[in-house]
Every structure is written in structure tokens, then in C-alpha cells.
Amino acid sequence: MSLQITIKEVDDIDLDRYCLLQQQSFEAIFADNRIYTSYLDPTFFKWKYSTPAGKARIAVVEENNCMLASVAMYPVYIVVKGKKKRGWHFVEAAVLPVARGRGLFKCCMSLLIDSLKSDEIIYVFPNSSSIQGTIKAGFRKIEESDFYVRCFFNVFNIDRSAIETDFIFTAGQDVYADAMCAKQDVVVFRDAAYMNWRYKQHPHFTYYIFSPVENGRILGNVVARSVIIKGIRMLLIMEMHSLYDEVKKEMMSFVRRVAKKENCFIAGTFSGKNGKPSLASTGMIQLPSYILPKRHILMAYAKQSVCKLESEKWFCQTGDWDAF
């Protein structure tokens, strides 16, 4: 069979072959960071590629009945200056080692970009091997996120009894999401449907979730889970945002209790400038970028000028990145 590049949805793909492509393509990167690829299974992709905003699109390259490369994008709702639009998160840019150098990544990206409606946006966090191709495809750098950490030296004295993992986002989260969007120029719409899909319905990972409430009104969200990166166990904070900075101390108290339960002495989070944690309310400090294993760069593409992209204030935290 000659080289073919097509766009498919998750229900139209041989997921066993697709998972093998992902595992083989990312094997070296994952091994370098001491991360297992076993979670990249059919159950994972069925969940990930079916979001509250719709089905993912996957550009797949096949030749002689072999799956050589793919790039996927899943839809989310993005609020730009108060207007909700459908956006896309570019993910899983996978090319088999034997197929690299043939321009397959670029072909897949171009096909997906051509499928966009005029007012849609794509955002991506490229790795070192895909960033140049991403720039050539027309993506613009929005900003480079920093990594913030806090160490807990007295976690043995913390009570763990009150921590639960059965939290479900309800209608109150929708009200909070609207209030959060009113404070940001560009932000992924974090309503209950999105947050439950992103964190509660994940087939493999367990997330700890806490939302401070006052008079029945949600004031913020904190979401975290333990990870092991390069042999270091830490608590990764996926979301930490609030309407008022004063509640961050209560949220960090929750993070501290989770760190104790998960035997983590370090908690960390990626954040853009528009959502960075303050030292006063969280005790978190910024790590120098040169010691990080990956430059965490947010890039975006708009088919038309639906926003000024790089000049707008984007709200971006760890959870906006699909990797964890």
C-alpha cells in the first residue's frame, strides 16, 4: 500500500496498532525521564479522545499496512475575551524512529490545521524534537511557563484522615468557571463537565481535589497527584487557582496533607505568568529553568485573527498540558 494520510476519530482506529505506535515513538523520551509507557493503552485513548467538546481528530500516516506516524488534537472550549469558542489541544505527535526525516509530522499537522473552522484556535506544548516543526507550521510562542516548588519538611506531623478522592464537580463549578473567565483574557473553560472529564474520568490516574467554599459558592480549585520523574517522587499540582488570593493558604494546607499521604516531600506546578503562585500565600518558589528536564512552552495557532494570540494574557497551568 502506498503512503496514505487520513483524519480519523478514535472509533475508526485500530487502537492496538495505534498504542504500539505511541509506545515505540515515545520510548526514548519516557525512558530518559523514567516514565512507563504502559498507560498508553486503548482505554486511555478512548477516554482522552472523547471530551465534553466533542471527538478528537487524529491524522494517521500508513504505508504497507504499517502505522508510521500520527498527530492528534482533542477539542476543548476556550473563552477569549468573554466569548466561548471551540479550541483544540495538539497532542501525541508520534513518528516511528525509522520513519523520521520524511516530513510526516508536518504533513499531519497541515492536514489537521486545514480541518479547522475559521474561528478556532489550536494550542500545544511542543517538546524539543517537534518545536521547530511547530514554528514552521505557523504557531506562535505565547509564553514559557515556569516551575514552582515547595518542600514540606514536617509532613510526618500532618493528619491524613480527612483526605478523600471521591470529589465530583457539580453545578457550582460552572458558576466558578464563569467568574474565572471574567478575570482572564484567554482560558480553557473549566466547567464541571470539563473538570470531571479531565480528572474524575481518567482511566488510570487518581487525582486529589479540593474546592474551598463560602456560603455555598466555590472560591477556587486545587487538583494534584503524585508522579515519579527521573526517579524523584513528587506531588504535581495540576490546578491551583481562586477568585481571592486569601484562600490559597487553605488550599496549600490541603496540598500539604496530600503530600503526607503520598509520601512526597516536594510539591510543584507549571504556571504561566498570569496564574503564578505567590510566595506569600503558597510558599512556592520558582526553579531556575536550566535545571528543568523540559522547557514548557505554550504555542498557539489561529486560522483567523480571533485574538492577538501572543499579546493576550493566557491563563495556563499544569492541567492545560495533557501529559499528566
Side-chain angles (χ1 to χ4, degrees):
M1 182 180 69
S2 60
L3 191 74
Q4 292 184 333
I5 306 178
T6 55
I7 292 181
K8 300 182 179 182
E9 292 187 353
V10 65
D11 297 330
D12 303 322
I13 284 183
D14 182 334
L15 281 177
D16 290 328
R17 289 203 300 148
Y18 185 76
C19 292
L20 186 61
L21 166 65
Q22 304 303 315
Q23 293 170 6
Q24 292 177 342
S25 299
F26 295 113
E27 184 176 16
I29 294 176
F30 278 38
D32 183 57
N33 290 281
R34 303 179 199 175
I35 299 173
Y36 295 107
T37 61
S38 57
Y39 75 90
L40 299 173
D41 60 13
T43 302
F44 172 76
F45 288 111
K46 285 180 181 178
W47 158 76
K48 184 174 182 178
Y49 291 168
S50 299
T51 82
K55 295 284 188 179
R57 295 175 188 166
I58 310 114
V60 180
V61 181
E62 296 178 278
E63 186 177 48
N64 298 324
N65 295 318
C66 178
M67 203 175 284
L68 299 180
S70 70
V71 178
M73 61 181 190
Y74 64 70
V76 295
Y77 290 116
I78 298 177
V79 177
V80 180
K81 293 284 190 178
K83 295 182 179 180
K84 188 167 74 170
K85 304 174 180 292
R86 190 163 73 159
W88 300 83
H89 184 11
F90 256 10
V91 294
E92 277 88 49
V95 183
L96 288 180
V98 296
R100 290 169 188 168
R102 298 174 59 181
L104 302 182
F105 169 68
K106 180 180 178 181
C107 291
C108 288
M109 289 190 74
S110 297
L111 195 62
L112 289 173
I113 288 171
D114 288 344
S115 74
L116 290 177
K117 293 182 178 179
S118 60
D119 64 341
E120 293 182 328
I121 301 171
I122 311 176
Y123 67 97
V124 64
F125 300 93
N127 58 34
S128 57
S129 62
S130 63
I131 189 167
Q132 290 304 317
T134 304
I135 293 172
K136 290 178 181 178
F139 282 73
R140 303 177 191 176
K141 179 180 176 180
I142 304 302
E143 69 173 333
E144 184 167 346
S145 293
D146 296 313
F147 194 70
Y148 298 83
V149 298
R150 177 173 173 178
C151 297
F152 300 110
F153 297 107
N154 57 344
V155 292
F156 291 114
N157 299 323
I158 301 170
D159 179 17
R160 306 184 277 182
S161 60
I163 301 176
E164 300 178 357
T165 58
D166 59 353
F167 185 97
I168 298 293
F169 293 96
T170 58
Q173 180 65 25
D174 299 343
V175 177
Y176 171 73
D178 286 333
M180 183 182 177
C181 291
K183 298 175 62 177
Q184 309 296 336
D185 286 352
V186 185
V187 59
V188 171
F189 189 51
R190 289 163 160 81
D191 64 346
Y194 171 83
M195 296 292 278
N196 283 323
W197 165 77
R198 179 67 177 86
Y199 300 114
K200 295 305 300 180
Q201 296 167 16
H202 198 294
H204 300 312
F205 301 153
T206 297
Y207 296 92
Y208 295 91
I209 301 167
F210 172 66
S211 293
V213 176
E214 182 180 72
N215 297 323
R217 183 190 182 199
I218 291 177
L219 301 180
N221 299 142
V222 57
V223 181
R225 80 172 184 92
S226 62
V227 299
I228 299 176
I229 303 175
K230 288 188 176 292
I232 300 174
R233 186 176 183 85
M234 66 175 296
L235 191 69
L236 186 63
I237 301 173
M238 310 295 295
E239 310 269 351
M240 190 167 64
H241 39 78
S242 62
L243 299 181
Y244 309 107
D245 207 46
E246 292 77 8
V247 300
K248 290 283 181 65
K249 291 184 178 180
E250 183 181 1
M251 295 162 75
M252 283 305 297
S253 177
F254 173 80
V255 169
R256 197 161 171 250
R257 295 199 307 272
V258 174
K260 166 62 178 176
K261 181 175 182 179
E262 291 292 330
N263 297 315
C264 298
F265 288 87
I266 301 173
T269 187
F270 283 105
S271 180
K273 293 179 177 59
N274 207 32
K276 66 180 182 180
S278 71
L279 176 63
S281 59
T282 68
M284 304 190 80
I285 60 172
Q286 180 184 334
L287 282 186
S289 59
Y290 64 83
I291 68 174
L292 298 178
K294 175 187 183 293
R295 293 179 63 198
H296 196 55
I297 300 173
L298 169 63
M299 303 186 74
Y301 176 97
K303 202 159 190 176
Q304 292 184 359
S305 298
V306 294
C307 65
K308 295 179 181 178
L309 291 182
E310 67 269 34
S311 65
E312 301 288 5
K313 295 179 179 179
W314 290 59
F315 182 87
C316 178
Q317 293 192 335
T318 311
D320 291 295
W321 184 27
D322 70 298
F324 294 98

